[in-house]
Amino acid sequence: MSSPYVFLLVSIALSFTCTCVAQTSWISRICSMSRNSIVCYRALMSDPRSSYNDIKILGEIIIYKSQAATQAAINVTKSVENNDNKEIIETCIETQNDAKDMLKECLVLLEKARYDEPSKSALNNAASAALTDVGTCDDEFGSSEPPKLKRASRYAQDLIDVLLVISKMI
Ligand SMILES: *[C@@H]1O[C@H](CO)[C@@H](O)[C@H](O)[C@H]1NC(C)=O
């Protein structure tokens, strides 16, 4: 093998190594700070755009995942409705929808958060509000919460918590 060729191969190998190290850095920093690191890693790594290692893109990914998980929680909430829990269910759906509105707002704020302090703190507030909104349903049900709903609600909150972490790091 001629030496320029070897040099090229070594360069390519090095560039891969460096990219890989860089790629995992934002994700590992974010996920190690989040309350459910496994959910965090799975959610972020499942989107190929996470390889850009860009905190704003990671924020977008987690907002989309949080929106879907909140919608899934709304669907589960509707599915467990019965004659005895109608009022609680109504509160749950209302606050889960509030969370979806907050997450939509987060998507707008994320665009500016990196360059603008007020947007960054507004993003943090909106993410925090979304987290509280989703948790309201658990509080309403207390110990009588159907396990299926509890799981769906916790999953949505684990994802929104990642957004909260990102809002502090961005
Ligand atoms: C929730 O239910 C709607 C309508 O029933 C359905 O279109 C949607 O795919 C469901 N979403 C999730 C995330 O389960």
Side-chain angles (χ1 to χ4, degrees):
M1 222 180 272
S2 67
S3 76
Y5 192 59
V6 169
F7 176 75
L8 182 66
L9 281 183
V10 168
S11 305
I12 290 170
L14 277 179
S15 74
F16 272 116
T17 314
C18 296
T19 315
C20 288
V21 170
Q23 266 170 13
T24 50
S25 70
W26 269 120
I27 292 184
S28 55
R29 281 171 68 189
I30 291 163
C31 291
S32 65
M33 297 290 286
S34 71
R35 70 184 201 186
N36 189 332
S37 300
I38 294 171
V39 163
C40 175
Y41 276 109
R42 277 199 193 132
L44 291 175
M45 303 282 268
S46 71
D47 190 313
R49 292 185 309 144
S50 66
S51 65
Y52 290 121
N53 189 33
D54 179 313
I55 191 168
K56 200 196 94 182
I57 291 175
L58 296 175
E60 273 171 26
I61 295 170
I62 216 67
I63 290 172
Y64 292 133
K65 300 268 178 194
S66 300
Q67 286 174 326
T70 304
Q71 183 57 52
I74 292 172
N75 288 9
V76 173
T77 305
K78 288 175 180 165
S79 78
V80 298
E81 178 170 358
N82 60 39
N83 283 329
D84 299 327
N85 65 19
K86 276 191 191 318
E87 264 182 51
I88 295 180
I89 294 287
E90 202 175 303
T91 306
C92 288
I93 293 174
E94 194 180 309
T95 51
Q96 288 159 336
N97 277 315
D98 289 344
K100 278 178 63 186
D101 291 342
M102 281 296 151
L103 290 169
K104 214 182 281 176
E105 183 69 23
C106 285
L107 206 50
V108 177
L109 293 166
L110 183 69
E111 288 296 321
K112 295 183 275 181
R114 202 162 18 179
Y115 313 105
D116 174 52
E117 270 307 313
S119 298
K120 180 179 165 165
S121 90
L123 174 65
N124 183 263
N125 288 338
S128 177
L131 192 60
T132 305
D133 283 336
V134 173
T136 302
C137 189
D138 308 319
D139 298 339
E140 288 289 317
F141 269 109
S143 59
S144 68
E145 185 169 21
K148 199 161 68 156
L149 177 54
K150 195 172 184 169
R151 275 196 302 275
S153 181
R154 180 176 306 161
Y155 182 59
Q157 289 169 70
D158 283 348
L159 292 174
I160 298 170
D161 174 72
V162 178
L163 178 60
L164 202 56
V165 171
I166 289 176
S167 75
K168 289 173 195 154
M169 286 185 167
I170 200 166

